Amino acid sequence: MNLVKTSKELGEILAPIRSASSLIGFVPTMGALHNGHISLIKKALSENEVVICSIFVNPTQFNDPSDLEKYPKPIEKDIELLTKAGCHYLFLPEASDIYADGAEWSHSFGKLEQLWEGAMRPGHFKGVGQVVYKLFNLVLPNHAYFGQKDYQQTLIIQKLIDDFKLPIQLHVCPVVREENGLAMSSRNMRLPAQVRLSAGRIFQTLQFSKELVNTGEKDIQKIIAVARLKLEELSGSQIEYIAIVEPISLEAFEQLPENGPILMIIAIKVAGTRLIDNMFLRS
Ligand code: AMP
């Protein structure tokens, strides 16, 4: 795997690849890679001639400076995992390179950037939109791969592509989970071992809610109340939100619609670490 440290170098490497009309797949990450990230790389490798992963811990998407500071950076291990997966290029830029032209960004994603994650982390999606727009412009990929784990983020990226008419196809890949069902996340390594095990309850709660819907439960308030109770049994936890939403607008349903897709979303702090997860209760 080739390491590319500057946007200038990336441009030079990509020019001949683009001229040859080779398909470029792109997987943007913030590093501390796990099998969730690697699943995106593998999907990209199966659909493109050239795959580029970026690792950039983007300062403009962190509303909490201590979260940014604490963000793990095991770069040697990341390189090893990417090399093993067969990734072709790793783009590892400095913030001074990405933000050489300043950090101004005024594009609005409307309501989508204010709901749920947007409400809990003000400014987060502006930062995500800004950095992904810059990375898309540098890489100019044919295909970009993101995880359903960050469901709201995938809607933001699709809107970014639509708003700026970018010729990029977005692929949303399934959530990869630990053995107990906990969605893999770079943040999981902050959890004490016992807590990490019991946090499998988040997945169990999503599954149980899905079963309730499958077996004909129609009362949304009841489904949410049962889920809330299950999550509250996780010791040291604090629920930030739990909702059943329309998967495109992310507006919370008041009543279960007769048909069509419905999504449950959860954000919870466990032992001081913020975890998010989601599942289609009906697709
Ligand atoms: P991050 O490094 O956290 O910014 O994540 C980079 C990409 O990996 C994003 O598109 C995430 O949604 C995706 N991702 C993170 N965790 C998982 C997971 N457990 N399963 C699938 N994709 C994931």
Side-chain angles (χ1 to χ4, degrees):
M1 184 181 63
N2 295 293
L3 233 81
V4 186
K5 292 202 164 167
T6 67
S7 50
K8 184 168 177 287
E9 199 190 333
L10 184 71
E12 287 162 6
I13 287 170
L14 289 179
I17 293 173
R18 278 188 210 114
S19 311
S21 300
S22 299
L23 285 179
I24 300 174
F26 180 42
V27 181
T29 80
M30 298 205 298
L33 304 180
H34 48 66
N35 281 339
H37 299 110
I38 297 304
S39 73
L40 307 188
I41 300 285
K42 292 206 168 139
K43 176 93 165 107
L45 281 165
S46 73
E47 295 176 344
N48 301 274
E49 275 109 20
V50 176
V51 170
I52 300 165
C53 174
S54 65
I55 293 182
F56 180 60
V57 184
N58 173 40
T60 69
Q61 73 189 67
F62 284 82
N63 56 315
D64 173 357
S66 79
D67 196 23
L68 172 61
E69 221 162 86
K70 278 194 284 183
Y71 208 85
K73 295 194 183 71
I75 190 64
E76 296 303 327
K77 187 174 164 234
D78 286 351
I79 291 174
E80 203 181 305
L81 283 174
L82 288 171
T83 305
K84 211 168 134 211
C87 183
H88 302 115
Y89 293 95
L90 169 59
F91 181 42
L92 253 183
E94 297 285 340
S96 55
D97 183 357
I98 294 295
Y99 292 113
D101 56 349
E104 284 299 306
W105 174 261
S106 54
H107 186 69
S108 167
F109 295 101
K111 219 166 174 190
L112 208 49
E113 71 175 40
Q114 286 155 14
L115 290 165
W116 314 113
E117 284 304 285
M120 302 313 296
R121 308 177 69 189
H124 171 65
F125 287 125
K126 280 213 184 298
V128 169
Q130 176 186 36
V131 78
V132 173
Y133 181 71
K134 281 171 180 285
L135 291 170
F136 276 177
N137 270 313
L138 289 172
V139 177
L140 296 176
N142 302 87
H143 301 129
Y145 298 81
F146 286 78
Q148 189 194 317
K149 153 87 172 23
D150 300 281
Y151 183 83
Q152 191 171 359
Q153 173 171 275
T154 65
L155 296 180
I156 291 278
I157 302 302
Q158 187 58 59
K159 185 149 172 48
L160 179 81
I161 289 172
D162 295 344
D163 288 355
F164 290 96
K165 311 269 181 280
L166 304 174
I168 298 171
Q169 192 181 339
L170 170 67
H171 299 258
V172 179
C173 304
V175 184
V176 177
R177 300 179 179 280
E178 299 188 0
E179 227 171 276
N180 64 349
L182 176 64
M184 287 192 178
S185 163
S186 313
R187 290 192 160 85
N188 292 357
M189 60 177 79
R190 291 189 203 156
L191 297 171
Q194 201 49 45
V195 177
R196 189 163 174 168
L197 274 181
S198 54
R201 179 166 285 262
I202 301 168
F203 176 61
Q204 291 158 15
T205 302
L206 288 165
Q207 271 191 318
F208 189 79
S209 306
K210 186 173 178 173
E211 262 168 52
L212 280 182
V213 171
N214 278 346
T215 51
E217 179 57 66
K218 293 203 162 37
D219 184 344
I220 274 200
Q221 305 318 325
K222 190 166 157 197
I223 300 168
I224 291 177
V226 171
R228 190 172 278 280
L229 271 179
K230 282 189 166 292
L231 289 175
E232 278 167 359
E233 280 169 25
L234 247 181
S235 75
S237 70
Q238 198 186 329
I239 299 169
E240 288 193 352
Y241 60 74
I242 171 164
I244 297 179
V245 299
E246 195 288 317
I248 302 294
S249 67
L250 291 189
E251 299 283 358
F253 282 121
E254 295 291 323
Q255 285 174 349
L256 210 66
E258 285 290 322
N259 39 48
I262 57 175
L263 180 78
M264 181 174 249
I265 52 173
I266 293 175
I268 184 168
K269 257 193 179 158
V270 186
T273 296
R274 202 167 176 276
L275 303 172
I276 58 171
D277 205 343
N278 66 82
M279 186 182 280
F280 279 89
L281 303 187
R282 192 168 69 202
S283 45

